[in-house]
Amino acid sequence: LDAADELRAFRGRFHIPALGEAAATAALRAGEAEQLYLCGNSLGLMPRATRTYVEEELKKWEDFGVEGHFLGARPWVTVDETVKASSMAIVGAKKEEEVVIMNTLSVNLHLMMVPFYRPTAERFRIVVEAKAFPSDAYAVQSQVKFHGYDPADAIREVGPREGEDLIRTEDLVAAIDDSVALVMIGGLHYYTGQLLDIEAVTAAGHAAGAIVGVDLAHAVGNVPLHLHDWGVDFACWCTYKYLNSGPGSIGGCFVHERHAEDTTRPRFAGWWGHRKEDRFVMHHNFAPSPGAAGYQLSNPPVLPCAALRASLDLFDEATMPRLRAKSERLTAYLEFLLRRDVSDEVSILTPSEPAARGSQLSLTFRADVSIVFKHLAAEGVIVDIRKPHAMRVAPAALYNSFTDVSEFVRVLRAVLDKLRAEHLLVYDDEAGDGEVGGAPGGGAVADG
């Protein structure tokens, strides 16, 4: 399978972390030098070009100081524009004014809800998916409270039906009525790995007169997106997961072109959102740049933009259609092996249909997942877990191989057998709430 992979060379353009301390405990992977890293859903790996791209900007700062804003091939004054075209292609924007790279995800969600959540006495509710990522939930709750509403009444959560694990599109659609001001969903659910039908939900929201916004944290760089064609009003994303820009790095924002010239909606304004042609006149009459750029607050951070560009250059070369095709094969192979080799202990939460998922499979175990996780970590296998019961495994098409997938399932099977033989498997009815995360004894701790 790896020999037939036309994208296999991209793996060599990333730093794969060394086994490190796990080398002393990795009995099942003895002789291996690298981690088995399947955690791009939490933090993508570092492209080898990142250091060069970042050091170029550090050198410019060293040599030119403030003049770096206007010198060189990538003047800092427009550095965010160096990653715009690539970002447009990944999210399916068709107009330059629809995309801006700025801030971080939760900040951008708040900035977007200022203009696009405008509740009235008759239309004030927000529809969200159940068990959304906590930061999304906090943002929505705080916006509702800011406008004087009770979250218990104003927030309408849509979850799986009783006895099911996944959200049905028809239930999301049915929840949208003329009391709904905003539909605010995660494009791909962080816990289950389910890819929601953004197009159908957007159409339903607009039919009911609501605004539709999407958190793309787990979707961007992972699944095909067509935000312009779907008519999504706004979307926000981070870039440190599948876009590999580095821990806590910069976010992105999409605002559909139909809102590009709309200055009637209130916004939280900042200097960098002012139109470029007279930004440096320094008067106090705010005139926003058209579209998403008009929501910027401050000048863009140069080093995160450089790190992001190092990864996006790889996306430009690989292209999303080819990456998606490989991703579907990788995840299908992972699913096949899991069902064949460990179905006695493991179930898969994530949908089987490729169109309803990205690269991530969320696994549940008959036993306490934290015990399995800790023993995998001791073998240098990097995945993550999220309370209460899910282990997330996400082969990333840019740098993971089919060998990575088969090796993961081999080690997982061996760990389960070892734990069973040593009577260390603790089943859910015997266990307390297991630890999660990705620090010592945990796993990935990046957002989402």
Side-chain angles (χ1 to χ4, degrees):
L1 291 174
D2 285 329
D5 175 18
E6 64 177 352
L7 300 179
R8 64 186 180 277
F10 282 92
R11 178 182 177 90
R13 296 165 74 175
F14 284 83
H15 290 286
I16 311 298
L19 206 55
E21 293 181 0
T25 57
L28 299 173
R29 300 186 66 236
E32 296 292 337
E34 297 174 340
Q35 294 177 356
L36 184 53
Y37 193 91
L38 295 163
C39 207
N41 58 297
S42 191
L43 180 66
L45 291 182
M46 177 179 166
R48 291 184 178 275
T50 301
R51 187 181 307 276
T52 298
Y53 283 34
V54 171
E55 286 182 348
E56 284 177 358
E57 304 306 331
L58 291 173
K59 180 62 174 171
K60 184 190 292 187
W61 181 22
E62 175 186 335
D63 290 345
F64 301 109
V66 71
E67 294 302 312
H69 282 90
F70 306 101
L71 296 176
R74 290 174 294 277
W76 297 336
V77 73
T78 53
V79 70
D80 57 311
E81 297 178 12
T82 66
V83 290
K84 178 177 286 192
S86 302
S87 300
M88 289 173 58
I90 289 170
V91 302
K94 291 190 172 179
K95 303 288 185 180
E96 284 194 6
E97 63 264 27
E98 288 183 320
V99 167
V100 67
I101 302 302
M102 64 179 190
N103 306 316
T104 53
L105 173 56
S106 295
V107 172
N108 288 337
L109 285 174
H110 277 293
L111 289 177
M112 289 296 100
M113 281 190 279
V114 171
F116 291 115
Y117 176 55
R118 306 303 303 160
T120 66
E122 296 76 27
R123 187 185 287 274
F124 61 93
R125 291 194 169 91
I126 302 179
V127 169
V128 299
E129 80 275 20
K131 199 175 172 59
F133 186 68
S135 192
D136 288 18
Y138 301 154
V140 169
Q141 291 165 10
S142 61
Q143 289 282 337
V144 163
K145 291 177 181 178
F146 178 79
H147 287 281
Y149 293 93
D150 180 359
D153 183 32
I155 298 174
R156 183 174 288 171
E157 289 192 356
V158 180
R161 297 183 184 183
E162 186 174 354
E164 298 181 357
D165 296 314
L166 305 171
I167 299 170
R168 297 193 185 193
T169 300
E170 59 263 35
D171 291 343
L172 273 170
V173 169
I176 305 169
D177 57 27
D178 59 8
S179 73
V180 174
L182 174 65
V183 180
M184 178 65 226
I185 60 169
L188 194 147
H189 199 283
Y190 86 99
Y191 186 81
T192 65
Q194 179 185 8
L195 175 60
L196 299 182
D197 191 336
I198 300 171
E199 183 177 16
V201 172
T202 301
H206 289 166
I211 290 289
V212 179
V214 186
D215 175 350
L216 298 174
H218 286 268
V220 70
N222 181 15
V223 298
L225 297 169
H226 306 282
L227 298 183
H228 178 94
D229 290 344
W230 294 339
V232 172
D233 292 290
F234 71 88
C236 305
W237 59 92
C238 55
T239 64
Y240 50 77
K241 299 179 186 295
Y242 297 99
L243 295 186
N244 313 303
S245 67
S249 194
I250 197 166
C253 195
F254 168 92
V255 177
H256 198 279
E257 70 163 327
R258 66 176 165 273
H259 302 296
E261 304 293 340
D262 184 359
T263 59
T264 64
R265 293 179 179 273
R267 71 181 75 198
F268 290 163
W271 181 35
W272 223 252
H274 189 92
R275 63 192 178 197
K276 289 196 293 185
E277 51 264 37
D278 62 348
R279 181 181 291 157
F280 284 86
V281 173
M282 313 298 279
H283 59 65
H284 288 184
N285 299 315
F286 180 73
S289 295
Y295 293 94
Q296 293 178 101
L297 300 179
S298 304
N299 53 316
V302 172
L303 302 184
C305 285
L308 176 58
R309 184 167 55 84
S311 178
L312 294 186
D313 282 355
L314 299 177
F315 274 86
D316 289 344
E317 188 177 340
T319 74
M320 275 303 299
R322 292 201 299 163
L323 287 167
R324 174 59 169 170
K326 177 181 175 180
S327 176
E328 289 185 355
R329 292 193 298 271
L330 274 173
T331 303
Y333 186 49
L334 174 60
E335 180 184 15
F336 166 75
L337 294 177
L338 288 167
R339 293 193 186 281
R340 187 191 70 179
D341 296 345
V342 294
S343 59
D344 58 326
E345 291 284 353
V346 179
S347 298
I348 301 173
L349 279 177
T350 311
S352 287
E353 302 82 3
R357 69 185 183 195
S359 67
Q360 170 187 329
L361 291 185
S362 295
L363 314 181
T364 59
F365 291 73
R366 289 182 60 229
D368 177 9
V369 65
S370 67
I371 295 174
V372 180
F373 174 81
K374 289 174 182 177
H375 282 77
L376 285 174
E379 297 292 340
V381 176
I382 307 301
V383 292
D384 69 9
I385 54 179
R386 288 293 178 263
K387 290 186 178 182
H389 304 299
M391 176 183 290
R392 306 186 302 179
V393 185
L398 265 176
Y399 51 77
N400 280 125
S401 66
F402 292 91
T403 299
D404 289 340
V405 168
S406 61
E407 181 70 355
F408 168 74
V409 178
R410 182 191 72 81
V411 174
L412 176 59
R413 176 73 269 173
V415 163
L416 291 170
D417 290 344
K418 178 176 182 290
L419 291 174
R420 183 187 291 133
E422 296 175 0
H423 305 289
L424 294 175
L425 284 183
V426 178
Y427 291 93
D428 283 343
D429 57 353
E430 304 168 356
D433 204 5
E435 280 298 319
V436 303
V445 294
D447 282 354

